[in-house]
Amino acid sequence: MEKKIKSLQLEVEKKIKDLKSISDLNQLKSEYLGRKSVFNNFMKELKDVAKEDKPKIGQMINEAKQSIAKLFDIAKGTIEVKIVEKKLKSETVDVTLPGKSFNQGSKHLISQVIEEVEDIFIGLGYTVKEGPEVESDEYNFEMLNLPKNHPARDMQDSLYISEDRLLRTHTSPVQVRSLLENSKHEPMKIICPGKVYRKDDDDQTHSHQFVQIEALVVDEKASLADLKGTLLFLARKLFGEQREIRLRPSYFPFTEPSVEVDVSCYKCNGVGCSMCKGTGWIEILGAGMVNNNVLESAGYDSNKFQGFALGMGVERIAILKYGIDDIRAFYTNDLRFNKQF
Ligand code: PHE
């Protein structure tokens, strides 16, 4: 019997060593230590053992059982650790691997310049207004003192959609809309940024579509001096605090008097260089005092109200500020160009 117990013990120990899974372990455990197991049978066989050997054999069986139970516990622990290790290995995240890189977009230069100009005017108390790009002939021309067949209509080659509808040629119709909206004739300071369209052949300096920003102030005492102050402030914010401005007489049907505004060259400081074609001045925008006819047709008493307006091409400002030599670069969307700003 002693031999039997010993050899059985050796046999289980060997089997335990080869165990791979918890379910195999449980099965083996019940086979050897369970109720109907080999070791339980030993206990039954104990009654046939000689009386004087009983305590010794009994103790041996118990010790063998305990040591096997211990081995099962250790094996269980080892298997569990192995399972966790395997799982960890298969789910390992290498935190040193480079991450997926995302291309971060940025604002188009035109949007940046629009926002820069908006910020300047918002700082002066102006509000931003928008209007439709498909406009009526009435708002785009007639109410801006440009009746049908007026020769000045040729200044802006237009793209008509129907007899009396066109793609707006400038942002000035938003002036008309805002004046009409302001039925109580409260003092008004607005800027209107937006796309405009002209029947131009695209080349280095022309585009059939571009962006304008218009500014309009109407109240009972807006003066040419206020316009000059506003223009100087704008020019210095855009092109540097050392800049001066110069107004040259011009003509727009919707303003009287009208001016063309030049800024002193920021490259040569007014001395004369290739940028300013030797003149020391660079033309930046058009402006003037709102023509009485415009105020009257929007229902304002021109003896009581006056106003000034200015209109600038955003592409022109961007071209001057950033030294760009082709207006088409804004629209061909070459990322190498766009990414520079
Ligand atoms: N609307 C004019 C243009 O497109 C610009 C302008 C606006 C001039 C306001 C004077 C006052 O040419």
Side-chain angles (χ1 to χ4, degrees):
M1 183 124 182
E2 273 173 72
K3 257 192 193 156
K4 240 167 119 187
I5 296 170
K6 267 262 168 321
S7 80
L8 219 97
Q9 194 174 350
L10 284 174
E11 182 187 308
V12 197
E13 280 173 8
K14 222 170 136 204
K15 283 189 182 166
I16 290 176
K17 263 188 201 144
D18 294 338
L19 280 173
K20 292 250 152 33
S21 72
I22 298 285
S23 63
D24 288 351
L25 181 140
N26 289 337
Q27 204 186 323
L28 196 68
K29 199 172 166 184
S30 81
E31 217 175 282
Y32 283 91
L33 298 178
R35 254 184 340 114
K36 287 182 183 155
S37 66
V38 227
F39 274 94
N40 247 5
N41 280 345
F42 282 145
M43 286 311 219
K44 283 178 201 153
E45 284 172 30
L46 201 58
K47 61 179 189 307
D48 305 326
V49 174
K51 205 179 169 196
E52 64 272 23
D53 291 337
K54 261 187 194 162
K56 199 176 133 212
I57 303 289
Q59 196 186 352
M60 213 179 149
I61 296 172
N62 275 335
E63 276 174 7
K65 270 174 82 177
Q66 275 165 17
S67 109
I68 292 168
K70 212 174 190 175
L71 286 179
F72 272 121
D73 280 349
I74 293 169
K76 195 174 173 204
T78 317
I79 292 170
E80 277 170 356
V81 168
K82 270 190 187 146
I83 290 171
V84 172
E85 272 174 358
K86 206 170 151 195
K87 209 169 165 200
L88 280 176
K89 221 175 198 170
S90 69
E91 291 174 5
T92 306
V93 174
D94 183 353
V95 290
T96 64
L97 279 177
K100 275 187 193 153
S101 63
F102 291 97
N103 277 335
Q104 201 181 3
S106 58
K107 279 195 183 126
H108 192 277
L109 183 57
I110 293 299
S111 305
Q112 291 180 37
V113 175
I114 294 173
E115 283 179 17
E116 188 179 343
V117 175
E118 281 179 353
D119 283 348
I120 295 169
F121 279 99
I122 287 168
L124 293 171
Y126 287 65
T127 41
V128 180
K129 284 263 181 186
E130 285 184 352
E133 287 169 32
V134 175
E135 191 51 279
S136 65
D137 184 277
E138 193 187 1
Y139 287 175
N140 193 82
F141 287 134
E142 274 173 58
M143 287 187 70
L144 286 164
N145 199 30
L146 270 153
K148 286 209 165 75
N149 302 319
H150 192 290
R153 283 197 179 203
D154 294 343
M155 286 166 80
Q156 303 178 356
D157 274 334
S158 323
L159 290 157
Y160 275 86
I161 286 169
S162 65
E163 184 85 4
D164 56 0
R165 290 216 164 258
L166 73 159
L167 294 175
R168 66 179 177 193
T169 55
H170 50 178
T171 40
S172 303
V174 188
Q175 283 192 30
V176 176
R177 289 174 174 273
S178 305
L179 288 170
L180 291 172
E181 252 175 43
N182 187 16
S183 54
K184 288 192 185 141
H185 299 173
E186 279 158 355
M188 182 162 71
K189 283 161 88 175
I190 57 162
I191 57 162
C192 330
K195 292 191 199 96
V196 300
Y197 304 83
R198 299 207 185 158
K199 210 163 77 193
D200 258 335
D201 287 331
D202 292 0
D203 63 21
Q204 206 169 338
T205 51
H206 294 86
S207 170
H208 63 281
Q209 178 204 306
F210 55 102
V211 181
Q212 276 193 343
I213 301 181
E214 185 110 354
L216 170 72
V217 171
V218 176
D219 61 25
E220 291 183 14
K221 48 185 190 329
S223 68
L224 188 63
D226 295 327
L227 171 61
K228 268 180 89 174
T230 308
L231 290 168
L232 183 61
F233 183 79
L234 173 68
R236 288 185 172 170
K237 285 278 172 230
L238 285 175
F239 295 103
E241 289 301 325
Q242 274 78 49
R243 300 288 82 78
E244 294 299 335
I245 56 162
R246 170 175 91 167
L247 306 187
R248 284 179 290 114
S250 185
Y251 172 75
F252 297 106
F254 28 87
T255 47
E256 182 59 37
S258 301
V259 291
E260 213 73 64
V261 184
D262 295 343
V263 63
S264 58
C265 181
Y266 44 85
K267 257 233 168 110
C268 61
N269 258 326
V271 180
C273 67
S274 60
M275 180 88 195
C276 56
K277 299 192 185 91
T279 64
W281 296 96
I282 299 169
E283 184 185 320
I284 52 166
L285 56 90
M289 298 305 294
V290 179
N291 192 306
N292 284 348
N293 290 344
V294 174
L295 291 173
E296 293 284 344
S297 61
Y300 282 67
D301 178 354
S302 63
N303 288 316
K304 205 171 154 203
F305 292 96
Q306 43 196 27
F308 63 78
L310 59 98
M312 75 190 92
V314 173
E315 285 79 355
R316 179 156 177 79
I317 303 291
I319 281 171
L320 293 173
K321 271 190 81 144
Y322 297 94
I324 294 154
D325 57 10
D326 194 329
I327 194 170
R328 291 168 293 195
F330 294 120
Y331 300 106
T332 38
N333 279 331
D334 183 336
L335 283 180
R336 289 168 303 180
F337 172 80
N338 290 358
K339 275 183 176 166
Q340 290 176 60
F341 309 103

